[in-house]
Every structure is written in C-alpha cells, then in structure tokens.
Amino acid sequence: LCDQGFAAYVKKQLSTCGVPGNALGFEVFLSEAVECATQLIELMKELRAEGCSFALASFDGLPESFSWLKHFKPDFVKLGVSLAGACDRDPRAALALEAIQRRCQDLGIRSIAEHVERESALQVLSATGEWLTHALKKQSTLVEKNIDALAQLLRGHDAP
C-alpha cells in the first residue's frame, strides 16, 4: 500500500492481461489503512479510475473506526470475524451491527459479514439490513443463500 509504484504496476498488469478493472477488488485491513492513510487514498483514487473496488476489512464498529469510514470511503466494509460470529449470542454485537449497517448505508458503502455459520446469525444480520455474507459450512443451506445473494448483487451492479 505504501509503495508509490503499486498503482502504476496494477494498471500495467490490467492492460497487459486484458483484465477489466472492475474484476479486481482490494481488501485492506483497517490497521494497515491507518498506517498508510495518505498513500491509500491516492491509490484508491487512481485504481478506482480503472474500475477497481476497495474493502476495508476487520471493521469493529468502534467510534474511531467510523471516522475512518468517512476518510477512506471504501466500496465495502467487512466486519471483524468476532463481531459477525457473536451477533446471535450477544445483544451488544447485534446493536453494533445495526449501527454499522446504518452508517454504511448513509455513506453508500456495502457491508460484508464473514464466517456466518449459524442460521440464527444470518437472521440477526438480515434483520439489520442487507449484508453480503460468507459462510464456512459447506453442507449448509447458508451457502445456497449466500450464492443467491451474491448473484443478485452482481446482477444489480456493474462492479463486484
């Protein structure tokens, strides 16, 4: 992220390989984003012009995290694993999810919850708004629901 030549490298690779920019998304952990804030904002500007998207990962919903949302303006926010995993067992986690979802919607940011392994967790997430979820259980209806949700998302948008 801090390498000033990275954007040029990515642009060249997209051109050389014939890959459209909207097929490429970058996941940046919040801690890394904070370390290289100025460089990341410039990188995002340059690569978004090519169609690339950015996800801010390990989002925990703490007050300082929300201030970084406005600063970075990612396309996606990925919840921290412990928050998504606890949402059906801890009312505080469910409240945090609702606050995150509301703020993301206000800013036009899509929300992603990973490691959603229980139907009860998926229900809590669904009650707070529209989330793109990732399930780990391969023999589960959750996987089918996630695939359907992803297909709907991709049909409705040019970029993933």
Side-chain angles (χ1 to χ4, degrees), residues 14-90:
L14 289 172
S15 176
T16 300
C17 298
V19 175
N22 68 355
L24 187 58
F26 294 89
E27 180 175 328
V28 182
F29 286 94
L30 182 57
S31 58
E32 293 172 336
V34 171
E35 286 178 26
C36 296
T38 303
Q39 295 93 329
L40 177 60
I41 291 169
E42 185 59 32
L43 176 71
M44 291 172 78
K45 180 181 173 184
E46 287 186 50
L47 294 182
R48 276 195 174 130
E50 301 295 319
C52 299
S53 61
F54 288 83
L56 195 57
S58 294
F59 194 78
D60 55 18
L62 294 174
E64 55 273 9
S65 298
F66 283 109
S67 68
W68 286 111
L69 276 185
K70 291 192 307 189
H71 192 70
F72 292 118
K73 299 178 181 130
D75 302 291
F76 299 92
V77 163
K78 291 179 78 175
L79 288 180
V81 173
S82 60
L83 191 57
C87 70
D88 60 334
R89 297 179 178 167
D90 182 351

Side-chain angles (χ1 to χ4, degrees), residues 101 105 124-131:
Q101 182 63 285
Q105 284 179 339
V124 170
L125 285 165
S126 296
T128 63
E130 183 182 339
W131 294 84

